[in-house]
Amino acid sequence: MKKQNISLVIVKIRLLKYICLIFFTSLNVVAQKPTVEAELEEDYRYQFKPVENNHNMTVMIDSIHNTIYSKPYGKETAREMLRIIKADGFNINFSGEKLLEKHLNNESTNLLIIHGMPNDEEVLDNGTKKEILYTSPLNTKEVSNIGKFVFNGGSLLLFLSHFPEGSGALPLVEAFQVKLRDGYAFQEQYHTSEDGICGHFMMDENNKMLNLDHPIFKNSLEKRTIPNNVRFYCGAAIFRNPEDVILPFPENTINYTPEIGKKEYIEENSNNYAGMIGFEYGNGRVVICTDQGIFRSMNLLIKDKKIAVTIHDPEANNAGLFLNTLRWLTKLQNP
């Protein structure tokens, strides 16, 4: 079947800005921003039974900050994720303004999605020295508004990426008492790529990277939607409480963070890193995932291979993970 490409033929996407994947031998990712060919996947349709009650809930998606939806093709790359939201009875609004209190009203919005939050970059140059100043696109008022929205009963689905893409949301992450290591989570024993230090994992219960005891699975409305495994590409490391973990990284995972201004990496090792967590906060709920592409509908064309990213990956069930996440966050499945 003929595929529709992002720019009618093939779009060149800056890998470090818009997709959380690294698939090449050169690791000088700070100095270079390689490109990769990609095409949309438009054939895949996840089969599931929509909820029967007409809940009429609304999902608001941030499109004003530098998220994937601020790009002209952003919605297309998340085509199936958005279709699942609508098929399960939700309304979708895209925020065209800052995340003000009037937009985050529990009577009109049930779930806020922030899909990728890179830092703003400002080059400081005094003629003899040059530095990059990384600042968050979120202002203090927005962080406060989001926190109050969740505390009062709303929910948040936040996607991060790896250095320096993750820490644009650092003020928000820290507001929810989540710790972020904005680098590349890697564990050689379970790494599924030929090269690179950004971990590629097939997560399942056997390798202890899929926690089926988390409430998003224990209270699933449709047991067959519970994933047997999940494909995870290239994320940073986060941690909070052990019971919050949905996708734990394996023991002895290393977080590689580029040393400022150098090609070398700072290494930090932990047995408690996670790629996805979910927890209650006040009357609301929060899920944070460090793989920005985990529910996107794209095929990357790399070294004569087609890489499914990733909701349509035939070897994984990322779509089931998303559906259960959506329903748990909006309290369609309790507790």
Side-chain angles (χ1 to χ4, degrees):
M1 185 175 293
K2 184 177 179 181
K3 303 233 181 253
Q4 174 189 357
N5 290 331
I6 294 175
S7 60
L8 298 181
V9 186
I10 288 180
V11 63
K12 297 284 188 176
I13 298 178
R14 288 191 180 277
L15 193 58
L16 295 184
K17 284 295 180 186
Y18 307 132
I19 307 175
C20 312
L21 297 171
I22 295 179
F23 282 95
F24 19 78
T25 56
S26 173
L27 297 179
N28 188 13
V29 295
V30 177
Q32 303 177 35
K33 292 178 180 177
T35 59
V36 62
E37 292 182 350
E39 66 180 12
L40 287 180
E41 167 57 54
E42 61 176 3
D43 297 335
Y44 177 76
R45 297 289 187 277
Y46 179 59
Q47 301 300 314
F48 68 96
K49 182 180 179 181
V51 291
E52 295 181 355
N53 60 314
N54 185 18
H55 54 74
N56 199 35
M57 286 193 277
T58 296
V59 175
M60 176 180 286
I61 300 177
D62 180 8
S63 60
I64 191 63
H65 297 98
N66 192 21
T67 69
I68 69 168
Y69 303 101
S70 65
K71 311 298 183 293
Y73 49 81
K75 294 179 184 179
E76 295 302 317
T77 68
R79 174 199 60 77
E80 181 60 10
M81 186 185 103
L82 298 178
R83 189 196 69 82
I84 290 172
I85 294 174
K86 292 181 179 179
D88 214 30
F90 293 88
N91 305 308
I92 297 179
N93 291 332
F94 288 90
S95 67
E97 303 179 67
K98 292 289 186 180
L99 297 173
L100 305 177
E101 193 170 358
K102 65 179 180 180
H103 302 125
L104 297 176
N105 187 314
N106 295 102
E107 295 181 0
S108 59
T109 301
N110 302 94
L111 171 63
L112 171 65
I113 296 179
I114 301 178
H115 203 155
M117 182 63 73
N119 280 309
D120 288 337
E121 299 180 12
E122 181 181 351
V123 178
L124 305 180
D125 188 353
N126 63 8
T128 58
K129 293 184 177 181
K130 182 181 291 186
E131 298 282 359
I132 297 177
L133 181 68
Y134 294 110
T135 58
S136 174
L138 294 169
N139 62 42
T140 302
K141 185 61 176 175
E142 289 179 299
V143 172
S144 177
N145 289 339
I146 295 170
K148 292 175 181 177
F149 165 71
V150 175
F151 182 81
N152 291 325
S155 289
L156 170 67
L157 176 55
L158 172 63
F159 296 91
L160 306 176
S161 184
H162 45 71
F163 181 88
E165 309 294 276
S167 55
L170 184 59
L172 182 59
V173 169
E174 291 187 334
F176 289 111
Q177 300 101 48
V178 177
K179 302 301 181 184
L180 166 68
R181 296 294 183 261
D182 187 18
Y184 310 93
F186 175 84
Q187 217 282 1
E188 184 175 11
Q189 181 181 355
Y190 300 99
H191 187 49
T192 62
S193 179
E194 297 176 1
D195 43 45
I197 60 170
C198 205
H200 305 159
F201 302 104
M202 179 65 85
M203 298 175 155
D204 58 43
E205 196 172 22
N206 291 331
N207 59 30
K208 299 180 181 180
M209 283 189 273
L210 177 60
N211 178 22
L212 295 182
D213 288 328
H214 193 279
I216 73 167
F217 304 125
K218 297 294 282 187
N219 302 287
S220 178
L221 297 180
E222 191 177 355
K223 297 302 181 183
R224 72 180 188 88
T225 66
I226 298 174
N228 293 319
N229 51 29
V230 171
R231 180 76 73 179
F232 189 99
Y233 285 132
C234 206
I238 53 176
F239 57 97
R240 193 172 182 268
N241 297 324
E243 62 269 22
D244 302 334
V245 176
I246 300 170
L247 300 179
F249 287 135
E251 292 186 353
N252 300 314
T253 292
I254 299 172
N255 180 72
Y256 288 102
T257 303
E259 191 171 352
I260 302 301
K262 299 180 181 180
K263 297 180 182 180
E264 291 77 18
Y265 291 85
I266 300 170
E267 299 180 21
E268 182 182 77
N269 182 288
S270 177
N271 293 334
N272 299 302
Y273 287 147
M276 186 174 184
I277 61 176
F279 53 92
E280 295 189 354
Y281 183 84
N283 293 324
R285 294 175 176 177
V286 176
V287 168
I288 301 176
C289 182
T290 67
D291 179 358
Q292 185 174 293
I294 194 169
F295 303 131
R296 296 180 78 174
S297 298
M298 303 181 67
N299 295 310
L300 302 188
L301 311 176
I302 301 169
K303 295 182 180 179
D304 299 322
K305 295 181 180 179
K306 182 177 289 189
I307 309 297
V309 184
T310 52
I311 201 167
H312 56 286
D313 188 327
E315 298 180 358
N317 187 10
N318 289 31
L321 173 62
F322 175 69
L323 181 64
N324 282 280
T325 299
L326 174 68
R327 290 175 171 179
W328 181 75
L329 281 169
T330 54
K331 303 175 184 175
L332 287 175
Q333 54 190 52
N334 280 309

